[in-house]
Amino acid sequence: MNSEISPAEARQITRRWPLISGVSALVLAVLLGVLIATRDGVLSLDQLVLDDLLSIRADIFTVPALAMNFLGGGWFGVFVVPLGGALAFFLVKRRWAALYFLLASALSAGVVQLLKSFYGRARPDEILVTADLGSFPSGHVANAATLSVVLIILLQRRWVLVVGIVYTILMILSRTYLGAHWLSDTIGGALVGIGVGVILWAPFAHVLATEDLQFGLKKRARRPHSVG
C-alpha cells in the first residue's frame, strides 16, 4: 500500500488548513455579533474597559490615538495603504503578491461594511472622532489585522510578525480609547481581518510560494560574487 502523498495532494492539504482557520475566525466574528445583538444593553466588559480608558484621557494619549485613526481608516487607510502596498509589490515584480494584497484589503473592507449594516450597533456616546454608522465590527482594526496577516504571509520575517501584532493591538486600544468602538467591536474587527487574510491565502498559496522562490533566486543572482 502506497502511503506517499503526491504533490497535488500536498497542495490540497496546505490549502485546507487556511480555509478552516479563516472560516473559523469569521464564524467567531459573526457569533460575537449575535451575542452582542441578543444582549440587553452594553456588555459589562465593554463598559468596564471604556470607563478605564476614559479615566486616563489626556493629550499624551489622544494625539497618537488620532494618528492611528488617520492611518487605519478614511481615504488613507482605505485607498492609499492598499493601493500603495499593491503597487510596491508590483514594482518589484511580485504581481501575485500585489493582487493578493489588494484583494484581501478590499474583501476585508467589504465584509466589515456588510456586518456593520446587518448589526447596526450604536457607538459609544463618548466618541472623539467622526465615524460612519455601525460600531460592530471595527473597520480600522480589521484593516490593521488584514494588513498584518498579508505582510506576515508575503514577507515571512519575524520582525514583521512582531510589528503586525503590536500595530493591531495599538489599533484596538486607540479605537476604544477614542470612544469610536467598544472593545468587542475591535475583537470582531480583528477576527474579520485575520479570517479574510487567511482564507484568501488558500487559493494563492501555491503561486505566492512559487513567485517568492523565483524572487529570491533573482535577488541572489544579482549579488556580486566574491573572488576567492
Side-chain angles (χ1 to χ4, degrees), residues 110-138:
V111 172
V112 165
Q113 291 306 313
L114 179 65
L115 294 178
K116 278 179 179 286
S117 61
F118 181 77
Y119 290 112
R121 189 185 194 188
R123 295 179 186 269
D125 294 330
E126 299 85 355
I127 186 171
L128 291 181
V129 293
T130 303
D132 58 6
L133 297 176
S135 188
F136 181 89
S138 168

Side-chain angles (χ1 to χ4, degrees), residues 1-13:
M1 183 175 179
N2 187 4
S3 60
E4 293 184 359
I5 299 176
S6 69
E9 289 172 329
R11 285 196 296 270
Q12 186 177 11
I13 291 171

Side-chain angles (χ1 to χ4, degrees), residues 4 7 12 23 26 31 55 59-60 62 65 73 87 93 100 112 132 134 151-152 159 216 224:
E4 293 184 359
Q12 186 177 11
V23 169
L26 288 182
L31 292 177
S55 68
D59 288 346
I60 192 173
T62 303
L87 179 60
K93 304 287 195 293
Y100 169 56
V112 165
D132 58 6
L151 290 180
I152 289 167
W159 68 266

